[in-house]
Amino acid sequence: MRGFTLAAILFRPLCKGISPSKLTGRLPRNTRGYAVIPPPKNSKEKALLDAMLRVDHAGEYGANRIYAGQMAVLGRSQSGPLIQHMWDQEKEHLKKFNEILAENRVRPTALLPFWNIAGFMLGASTALLGKAGAMACTVAVEESISEHYNSQIRALMELDPERYRELLQIIKQFRDEEMEHHDTGLDQEAESLPGYQILKTAIQVGCKAAIYVSERI
């Protein structure tokens, strides 16, 4: 018994600051096997989450390409810093969804190459109409994305708000930032563009179609 006590005293300094889990090789009890989304309960729930994440990733990817197109045209104008600020936030959104897709082994939509070109062309072509054109595009796109995020928030709240609390926090934060972009576009006189309502409606029809196909392909 004395030998055991002596060994414990001699060994204690070496163990100072080392958790029992490191000594035993076991993970601490509160360690999770996921960062944001817990494993789905069944195949139906997995299909729902996969479609949700796929379309969110596609939407943020498309938004990034739109802002890239706008910056290609207006980057050196007075609107450049404002567009860059909104683009920087979209880059963070896309980065987060890249991480979530990888963690949950969800494939992105097969249409990314198309959204790459279409998004850039939409951003550039509306920016050629001037600041009001770029802002009109921003209002239309961000309103569509915000509405879609709201529908996802409702779906997750009905499913299990506590289980998906962290995903809800992320979506709500991104929704709020998209609405900031929407409001910025209005503040920057998007509605002064001739044919504003026609352009907005056309863009939002395209956004709804993009959401529909990105969930499924």
Side-chain angles (χ1 to χ4, degrees):
M1 190 70 179
R2 289 179 59 191
F4 175 80
T5 304
L6 179 60
I9 293 172
L10 293 174
F11 190 61
R12 188 179 302 157
L14 299 177
C15 299
K16 188 176 182 180
I18 301 178
S19 67
S21 62
K22 290 185 178 180
L23 293 175
T24 62
R26 293 194 299 267
L27 292 174
R29 291 182 180 179
N30 62 348
T31 297
R32 305 186 314 182
Y34 61 92
V36 175
I37 304 176
K41 297 178 181 178
N42 50 54
S43 59
K44 182 180 179 181
E45 191 169 305
K46 176 170 174 51
L48 174 66
L49 290 170
D50 284 3
M52 189 178 291
L53 296 175
R54 184 177 300 113
V55 73
D56 287 351
H57 176 266
E60 298 296 351
Y61 182 86
N64 267 268
R65 298 307 296 151
I66 289 170
Y67 282 115
Q70 291 182 352
M71 283 298 291
V73 176
L74 297 174
R76 296 186 180 182
S77 71
Q78 291 183 340
S79 303
L82 178 60
I83 296 172
Q84 183 66 58
H85 169 69
M86 293 189 288
W87 188 14
D88 288 341
Q89 287 184 313
E90 298 294 349
K91 289 177 181 178
E92 290 301 313
H93 297 181
L94 180 59
K95 178 181 177 182
K96 174 55 69 174
F97 277 115
N98 277 331
E99 293 172 356
I100 295 175
L101 253 64
E103 178 193 338
N104 293 275
R105 298 183 179 180
V106 178
R107 66 165 180 81
T109 175
L111 296 174
L112 282 188
F114 178 75
W115 301 143
N116 177 26
I117 298 172
F120 186 90
M121 293 301 295
L122 176 60
S125 61
T126 52
L128 287 171
L129 300 174
K131 181 187 79 172
M135 293 300 137
C137 177
T138 294
V139 169
V141 171
E142 301 292 27
E143 186 175 287
S144 295
I145 293 176
S146 297
E147 289 175 355
H148 184 66
Y149 275 149
N150 280 331
S151 69
Q152 290 188 342
I153 290 169
R154 289 191 293 270
L156 290 171
M157 289 295 291
E158 292 175 2
L159 188 61
D160 191 335
E162 183 56 34
R163 180 175 172 80
Y164 294 108
R165 179 172 54 87
E166 290 172 71
L167 180 58
L168 278 165
Q169 289 175 344
I170 291 170
I171 293 177
K172 287 177 181 178
Q173 176 190 335
F174 291 177
R175 186 271 318 271
D176 291 346
E177 289 174 354
E178 306 294 2
M179 281 306 300
E180 286 179 13
H181 301 170
H182 168 273
D183 295 345
T184 296
L186 292 177
D187 291 341
Q188 293 295 311
E189 302 178 341
E191 294 172 305
S192 68
L193 179 75
Y196 164 79
Q197 195 59 51
I198 296 174
L199 178 63
K200 179 185 176 184
T201 300
I203 292 174
Q204 291 188 328
V205 168
C207 287
K208 289 180 180 178
I211 289 170
Y212 179 84
V213 297
S214 293
E215 285 179 328
R216 293 161 174 79
I217 300 177

